[in-house]
Amino acid sequence: LKTKYSKARRGGRKGSTSSSSSSSSSVVLDPLSSMLDGSDPLSLFAAVSQTPELGRKRREKEEEVGSDFEPWSSKRGEILSRFTTTEKLSINLFMGSDKTSSPSSAVSEKVRTRLEELDDLEEGSQREIWSMCADPHPLPESFSADDVNDTAKETCLNWFFKIASIRELVPRLYVEAALLKCNRFLTKSGIQETLQRLTAMIRGIGDPLVAVYARAYLCRVGMEVAPHLKDSLNKNFFDLLATFRQIHGESVQNQLAQQRVEIPIYLTLYSPAIHWILQCVAYRAPEVLLTEMMDRCKKLGNNALLLNSVMWAFRAEFVAMRATDFIGMIKDCDEAGFPKHLLFASLGRSLSCADPPESERLSILNDAWKVITKVRSPRDYINCAEIWVEFTCRHFTKREVNTILADIIKHMTPDRAFEDAYPQLQSVIKKILPHFHDFSVLFSMEKFLPFLDMFQKDSVRVEVCKSIMEVFIKHQQEATRDPVILNALLHICKTMHDSVNALTLDDEKRSLSLLINGFIRMVSFGRDFEQQLSFCVEARATFCNLEPVIIHLIHTVNQLAMETRCVMKGNHSRKTAAFVRACAAYSFITIPSLTSIFNRLNLYLLSGEVALANQCLSQADAFLKTAVSLLPEVPRTISIEGKQRSSEPFLLDFINNFLSTLLVVPDHPEQGVLYLVRGLLNMVQDYTWEDNSDAKIRVYISALPLLAAMSQESYLYTIPKVDSNETLYGGDPKFIAEINKLCETLIGQVLDHLKGLGRDEGVRRQGSLAFSLFGCLLAHGDLRNNKLNQLAVNLWNLSHKHGFCDTRTSVRTLEYIKHQAQLADLSHLSDMTARLSLQSRT
């Protein structure tokens, strides 16, 4: 095994094996002192390997570490990012690496690399022995040392002999710990014995900081390899307690003075290692053991560092049930070594996950806040206060929460300290919202809105407002008219709206619009429709830059007009009409502000239909005429999700909807017969359609069913209390003549277009249009007219002339005609079916 290891650390001590700096009351022997009596590590290791095995008859089943145990890998990144430096130095890597760090690399990168190489050594060594054991048969997962062949055992034992020849303690310890799992190939009890021996070896490390991280690494390996061997974990913890006096010893203090490191900063270096050791020890540990560990910590006295780690690592339920005892221990700690607010922060983390006894909660909060509120540093203060907000919200009322918010505002406002604490302030909001789903209670807190005012940075303020609105929309079950809620949420929504500018992405606009629309939907003034309309007027002015919100408001007002019609009847008819006209005026004024022309067209049509349903004929006429006048402005292409698309399909869809509405719209007495139909068709005639487009002709074909329906004595559908043209004209022959004349004109336009398609390569389009017109004549025309009957036959034959018509559709159509011809009043279709033939595709 080729290894490189770092030179002894330079500084206040020589080598890493000295124990002179230890001030422990117990006598600890240096494991290397045995070298002085003539023995050497190789011979000692050989002697141990020849000792008879003392393993139990029944091998203990290794316990698997569950998902409730936080692995080291999840902690390592945060530790390396927290404890880093910008200083530069050169470190010779070891563990078989041929790379040497450059002086320009950061220390944290070197540490990360060394940790990764140590991990590689753990995994690589296990795989290489495993491969050796595959001869002659692969090893099962649950193998024992008896299953391993002699070659693999000899190789593995040789590795450990070479490790034993490393004379420096720290490198030898880490390498052997990294290969701990390989002991499984040698003896049944090898892992347990090695853990005990390595735990004792760490006692020979004189530097307490180096020793604590060695113990942390050994506990990590132990948890991965043999989590059921709790004894070694417990011994590491109790050894740790025995060495705590070293931290305040003369040797360590001299080093800190030489390096100009203050004791509070130095103590924080211990935290990750102690946290990890305690986490390993406390994992699924019985209550008795945790109590014993806590008692031993008490005996040490005034050890804030250890107490902090205990509250971090022990189960939250254990800490919560003894919260009063922990507070007493915190009070006894010296403020100089480890600030008490950090201890209360650790206690608060546990109490945010588990509940203390109900009778103790108020005293716990009072004791904690007496310390927290005295913290002078805004950064330290908010880091601690933010943790206790969860506990306060869970167990107390808005009164206590409001007090906490007031204290936070008091500490964070001077010198605009809040600007450096936005993440913590955001966390406060996120912890409050889940506990106050009743927003009348939330906004009745005097300090809640002033707390929001501390979010001065636009992006942060908007995120906070969005989080509030998301909770409101999710949990608000009923519509509200509470002025406290409405005023507060209007302010919050206005904050979101005002953040929109020319650089705001469309996705962000949609997100904000959805939240604001969700708020508008939850506002209801019951039957006070005028107040509801006033709210919509205010909202229109407030949210004018978000088109989806304006569209939603127009829909809301139209719905309001329909509800008014249903509710207000009898003596309120005049008031109802006035209110509906006010709603129509709102829509008529608002729609032009929209940028999307199809939104404008569809809303004009919708608002016209609502006005018509409420017998407001002049308002309906104005909406529909405005929609018709807007058609020439429709561009040939529109942007949909960032891509340019043809507008024709959308325009055709709108025109078809518009035509269906015109059936129930009465003619204006001063505008002439069918003035809206003629106006629409004139706009279609003058519109600049795409080249080689049949859209205009399809509009003409779509208008024929409308004209046919208008010629009926009784219309297919009407609006109550609105007299359509069927009533106005009463089947007047002049009116019917106008319809027939317009139909002839449209059919003539279609036939001219079909002739033009026959002269070029548009025969496929010709067949499709001819079949569409044939279907229209079949459904709506009077085919007893010989001229019209012959036209229908000619269109059928034209559509099948070049074989592009769908055969299945043609067959079904022909069967339908034959079936209809059997009816007495449609017998004239029999002669026509004889002239309709099916032609196969050539």
Side-chain angles (χ1 to χ4, degrees):
L1 176 67
K2 297 181 179 179
T3 61
K4 295 182 181 179
Y5 46 87
S6 60
K7 296 181 178 180
R9 200 176 86 177
R10 300 171 183 173
R13 72 184 191 284
K14 183 177 181 181
S16 59
T17 60
S18 173
S19 61
S20 59
S21 61
S22 173
S23 59
S24 174
S25 58
S26 61
V27 179
V28 180
L29 296 178
D30 183 353
L32 298 184
S33 59
S34 58
M35 296 169 56
L36 299 177
D37 59 10
S39 60
D40 62 276
L42 283 177
S43 57
L44 288 175
F45 199 100
V48 172
S49 65
Q50 296 171 3
T51 302
E53 296 182 359
L54 301 177
R56 300 178 180 179
K57 295 181 180 179
R58 183 181 61 85
R59 183 175 60 188
E60 295 185 3
K61 182 179 181 180
E62 293 187 358
E63 300 175 358
E64 294 292 336
V65 177
S67 59
D68 55 338
F69 183 83
E70 185 180 6
W72 177 262
S73 58
S74 64
K75 295 175 177 289
R76 184 170 61 185
E78 187 274 334
I79 294 172
L80 292 179
S81 62
R82 178 184 173 192
F83 298 97
T84 187
T85 180
T86 56
E87 295 181 5
K88 314 294 181 182
L89 55 86
S90 177
I91 300 178
N92 290 326
L93 303 181
F94 61 101
M95 303 303 173
S97 172
D98 294 331
K99 300 179 180 178
T100 302
S101 63
S102 63
S104 61
S105 301
V107 174
S108 61
E109 295 177 1
K110 303 301 152 301
V111 175
R112 189 187 306 273
T113 303
R114 295 176 71 173
L115 288 174
E116 290 174 352
E117 289 195 343
L118 203 58
D119 291 342
D120 293 341
L121 180 62
E122 295 176 26
E123 299 174 2
S125 60
Q126 174 74 6
R127 286 194 302 267
E128 185 176 345
I129 301 304
W130 194 278
S131 62
M132 290 183 179
C133 296
D135 183 22
H137 303 291
L139 282 179
E141 288 292 334
S142 58
F143 72 92
S144 65
D146 297 334
D147 301 324
V148 181
N149 59 48
D150 293 339
T151 302
K153 281 186 178 181
E154 183 179 354
T155 302
C156 184
L157 193 61
N158 186 44
W159 281 29
F160 283 112
F161 285 160
K162 292 180 178 179
I163 293 172
S165 66
I166 302 175
R167 293 186 176 271
E168 294 189 18
L169 175 58
V170 175
R172 183 170 74 251
L173 186 147
Y174 273 102
V175 175
E176 188 169 355
L179 301 182
L180 177 65
K181 196 171 185 179
C182 293
N183 283 277
R184 185 180 175 190
F185 296 96
L186 299 177
T187 63
K188 295 181 179 180
S189 59
I191 292 178
Q192 181 177 4
E193 295 171 356
T194 303
L195 277 174
Q196 295 175 353
R197 180 168 50 81
L198 294 179
T199 299
M201 285 174 60
I202 296 177
R203 298 172 184 170
I205 300 178
D207 190 317
L209 185 59
V210 176
V212 74
Y213 278 94
R215 289 190 176 95
Y217 180 70
L218 186 59
C219 289
R220 173 203 159 186
V221 176
M223 287 296 292
E224 292 178 355
V225 175
H228 63 283
L229 298 178
K230 301 291 186 181
D231 290 345
S232 63
L233 298 176
N234 298 340
K235 287 181 180 179
N236 272 286
F237 171 71
F238 293 131
D239 284 354
L240 173 65
L241 297 183
T243 60
F244 259 103
R245 295 184 180 86
Q246 288 182 262
I247 298 176
H248 301 283
E250 181 179 354
S251 176
V252 173
Q253 295 299 321
N254 290 339
Q255 290 187 44
L256 296 181
Q258 181 182 358
Q259 299 175 10
R260 299 179 181 178
V261 177
E262 297 180 358
I263 188 65
I265 297 177
Y266 174 71
L267 290 179
T268 60
L269 301 178
Y270 286 83
S271 297
I274 298 178
H275 287 355
W276 174 256
I277 295 173
L278 284 171
Q279 177 183 329
C280 296
V281 173
Y283 180 66
R284 296 180 180 176
E287 196 84 0
V288 176
L289 177 60
L290 297 180
T291 303
E292 178 188 355
M293 295 168 63
M294 184 175 172
D295 292 339
R296 292 208 183 188
C297 294
K298 284 183 181 179
K299 292 179 182 179
L300 282 179
N302 191 28
N303 201 313
L305 175 62
L306 180 61
L307 181 60
N308 183 61
S309 296
V310 166
M311 290 186 289
W312 264 88
F314 279 22
R315 291 192 297 269
E317 295 79 8
F318 180 89
V319 176
M321 293 304 298
R322 297 162 178 78
T324 303
D325 293 340
F326 278 101
I327 289 178
M329 296 169 66
I330 292 174
K331 290 180 179 179
D332 294 337
C333 290
D334 184 7
E335 182 77 19
F338 201 92
K340 289 185 178 180
H341 70 269
L342 295 180
L343 297 176
F344 274 106
S346 298
L347 178 61
R349 288 188 185 93
S350 295
L351 298 184
S352 64
C353 300
D355 300 333
E358 185 174 357
S359 59
E360 302 176 6
R361 293 170 186 173
L362 183 58
S363 61
I364 290 172
L365 180 61
N366 289 333
D367 288 338
W369 210 258
K370 286 178 183 178
V371 175
I372 297 172
T373 194
K374 294 179 181 178
V375 178
R376 294 184 178 181
S377 167
R379 179 180 179 182
D380 293 339
Y381 167 83
I382 192 60
N383 284 335
C384 189
E386 171 260 327
I387 295 173
W388 280 87
V389 169
E390 174 71 21
F391 174 77
T392 308
C393 292
R394 286 177 61 179
H395 302 298
F396 299 96
T397 64
K398 69 173 186 178
R399 175 175 171 271
E400 288 78 12
V401 176
N402 190 64
T403 303
I404 298 293
L405 294 180
D407 195 62
I408 294 177
I409 294 173
K410 176 183 176 182
H411 280 78
M412 303 307 295
T413 302
D415 300 325
R416 300 177 67 86
F418 54 77
E419 293 182 342
D420 298 323
Y422 285 139
Q424 294 87 343
L425 296 177
Q426 283 182 275
S427 178
V428 170
I429 293 294
K430 291 180 179 179
K431 290 179 178 178
I432 291 176
L433 291 177
H435 298 282
F436 289 90
H437 295 163
D438 187 345
F439 275 68
S440 61
V441 175
L442 179 66
F443 292 128
S444 64
M445 284 194 291
E446 180 185 355
K447 297 300 181 181
F448 185 76
L449 290 180
F451 185 88
L452 295 182
D453 291 337
M454 288 195 294
F455 294 99
Q456 299 288 314
K457 188 177 180 181
D458 290 343
S459 59
V460 178
R461 183 168 64 248
V462 171
E463 287 301 318
V464 171
C465 292
K466 288 171 65 175
S467 64
I468 295 174
M469 292 309 303
E470 288 169 355
V471 173
F472 174 79
I473 293 172
K474 180 179 180 180
H475 296 286
Q476 186 70 20
Q477 301 296 328
E478 299 179 353
T480 181
R481 60 186 300 172
D482 188 329
V484 175
I485 295 179
L486 297 187
N487 291 333
L489 291 183
L490 268 175
H491 171 73
I492 290 172
C493 289
K494 185 178 186 302
T495 300
M496 296 192 299
H497 167 270
D498 293 346
S499 68
V500 175
N501 53 47
L503 301 179
T504 304
L505 299 176
D506 290 341
D507 286 345
E508 178 67 9
K509 290 181 181 179
R510 280 192 290 267
S511 175
L512 296 177
S513 298
L514 285 173
L515 293 175
I516 296 174
N517 287 342
F519 160 61
I520 293 173
R521 275 192 294 268
M522 298 307 298
V523 177
S524 175
F525 292 89
R527 292 195 175 186
D528 191 348
F529 298 116
E530 293 181 356
Q531 184 65 28
Q532 190 82 32
L533 182 59
S534 298
F535 170 79
C536 291
V537 171
E538 181 182 0
R540 178 180 62 188
T542 305
F543 309 123
C544 58
N545 290 331
L546 289 174
E547 186 160 309
V549 178
I550 301 301
I551 294 173
H552 181 74
L553 286 171
I554 296 173
H555 281 284
T556 301
V557 170
N558 282 321
Q559 182 180 0
L560 187 62
M562 295 302 296
E563 290 177 357
T564 306
R565 173 177 175 268
C566 297
V567 173
M568 291 187 174
K569 297 179 180 179
N571 296 331
H572 299 285
S573 59
R574 292 183 180 179
K575 186 176 181 181
T576 302
F579 181 80
V580 172
R581 286 194 293 270
C583 291
Y586 178 97
S587 299
F588 197 79
I589 294 171
T590 308
I591 292 174
S593 65
L594 303 176
T595 58
S596 170
I597 191 166
F598 281 105
N599 284 335
R600 281 182 277 161
L601 286 171
N602 290 319
L603 287 173
Y604 275 129
L605 178 58
L606 173 64
S607 301
E609 293 169 344
V610 172
L612 196 62
N614 286 279
Q615 299 96 47
C616 296
L617 300 184
S618 60
Q619 284 77 14
D621 189 68
F623 280 116
L624 298 178
K625 287 173 62 177
T626 305
V628 171
S629 66
L630 196 61
L631 290 178
E633 299 180 19
V634 176
R636 296 176 64 175
T637 60
I638 56 175
S639 177
I640 299 178
E641 297 182 352
K643 297 182 179 179
Q644 291 297 316
R645 304 291 188 188
S646 172
S647 63
E648 278 192 3
F650 302 95
L651 182 55
L652 289 176
D653 184 60
F654 168 76
I655 292 176
N656 288 331
N657 290 335
F658 195 89
L659 289 171
S660 66
T661 302
L662 290 182
L663 177 63
V664 295
V665 178
D667 283 342
H668 195 284
E670 300 178 0
Q671 299 293 335
V673 179
L674 303 177
Y675 79 101
L676 279 175
V677 177
R678 295 179 186 276
L680 175 64
L681 294 176
N682 289 336
M683 288 297 180
V684 171
Q685 176 70 29
D686 297 336
Y687 183 76
T688 305
W689 299 92
E690 293 183 11
D691 297 336
N692 300 321
S693 171
D694 300 321
K696 179 172 66 174
I697 302 304
R698 293 196 177 276
V699 172
Y700 291 162
I701 296 175
S702 298
L704 291 174
L706 169 65
L707 295 173
M710 284 183 168
S711 65
Q712 304 299 313
E713 294 181 1
S714 179
Y715 285 1
L716 297 173
Y717 48 86
T718 57
I719 295 178
K721 298 183 181 181
V722 175
D723 293 333
S724 302
N725 286 339
E726 63 173 342
T727 303
L728 294 180
Y729 296 107
D732 189 304
K734 293 182 180 180
F735 177 65
I736 301 301
E738 287 292 331
I739 292 177
N740 289 335
K741 184 179 178 180
L742 188 54
C743 286
E744 290 177 1
T745 302
L746 294 177
I747 292 175
Q749 292 283 341
V750 175
L751 294 178
D752 290 342
H753 185 74
L754 291 176
K755 292 178 182 178
L757 292 177
R759 291 193 296 265
D760 52 31
E761 298 179 356
V763 290
R764 181 185 291 272
R765 293 160 52 200
Q766 183 190 59
S768 175
L769 290 174
F771 194 81
S772 296
L773 183 55
F774 169 81
C776 182
L777 295 179
L778 178 64
H780 304 286
D782 185 1
L783 297 183
R784 289 173 296 185
N785 183 303
N786 292 332
K787 185 177 179 180
L788 198 60
N789 189 299
Q790 184 60 46
L791 175 60
V793 172
N794 293 339
L795 289 171
W796 173 275
N797 293 331
L798 179 62
S799 64
H800 291 75
K801 181 178 180 180
H802 299 285
F804 291 114
C805 192
D806 182 66
T807 303
R808 181 178 298 179
T809 303
S810 299
V811 171
R812 290 182 177 178
T813 303
L814 191 57
E815 291 176 352
Y816 170 78
I817 298 172
K818 292 179 180 179
H819 176 75
Q820 292 296 101
Q822 297 176 6
L823 302 177
D825 56 343
L826 296 176
S827 59
H828 58 278
L829 295 178
S830 299
D831 295 335
M832 188 181 75
T833 55
R835 293 179 289 163
L836 301 180
S837 60
L838 293 175
Q839 297 180 8
S840 59
R841 215 174 270 185
T842 57

